[in-house]
Amino acid sequence: MSRCCTKAWVTGKVQGVWYRGSTQEQALKLGITGYAKNLPDGRVEVLMCGSQEDVKTLSEWLWQGSEKAHVTHVEFEVLEQAHAPDTFSTY
């Protein structure tokens, strides 16, 4: 099974609504490693490393997010070479 890494930038009401924590829960369920971190401009950056199918599943979930989140845009970048972390963290 090939592993891939994708970075996403999530825009909308995604800070202060448990978006990172719920993203971490979903990632761990799927066996995805990476991170979710708040950016100074109000977006959340997410690194997802795992099987293509699992990364696709989490990528689609990012549009939903936590119950109180309101996602307006998600931008993705597939990373050709990336160091895959051992776990999924929040910052």
Side-chain angles (χ1 to χ4, degrees), residues 5 8 11-12 17-19 22 32-35 51-52 59 61 69 71 75 77-78 80-82 86:
C5 290
T11 304
V17 292
W18 210 66
Y19 189 89
S22 58
I32 290 177
T33 62
Y35 62 78
S51 72
Q52 287 184 346
S59 295
W61 182 90
V71 177
E75 181 180 339
E77 177 185 353
V78 176
E80 294 299 321
Q81 294 182 355
D86 295 333

Side-chain angles (χ1 to χ4, degrees), residues 23-83:
T23 301
Q24 181 182 36
E25 284 183 351
Q26 294 298 316
L28 293 173
K29 286 180 190 176
L30 293 167
I32 290 177
T33 62
Y35 62 78
K37 70 178 181 178
N38 285 339
L39 297 177
D41 64 6
R43 296 180 299 162
V44 170
E45 179 180 290
V46 181
L47 173 66
M48 306 167 279
C49 297
S51 72
Q52 287 184 346
E53 182 178 320
D54 291 337
V55 168
K56 180 179 184 285
T57 298
L58 185 59
S59 295
E60 292 169 354
W61 182 90
L62 292 177
W63 279 97
Q64 173 188 336
S66 63
E67 184 177 317
K68 294 183 179 181
H70 178 72
V71 177
T72 58
H73 184 73
V74 183
E75 181 180 339
F76 296 97
E77 177 185 353
V78 176
L79 305 176
E80 294 299 321
Q81 294 182 355
H83 172 72

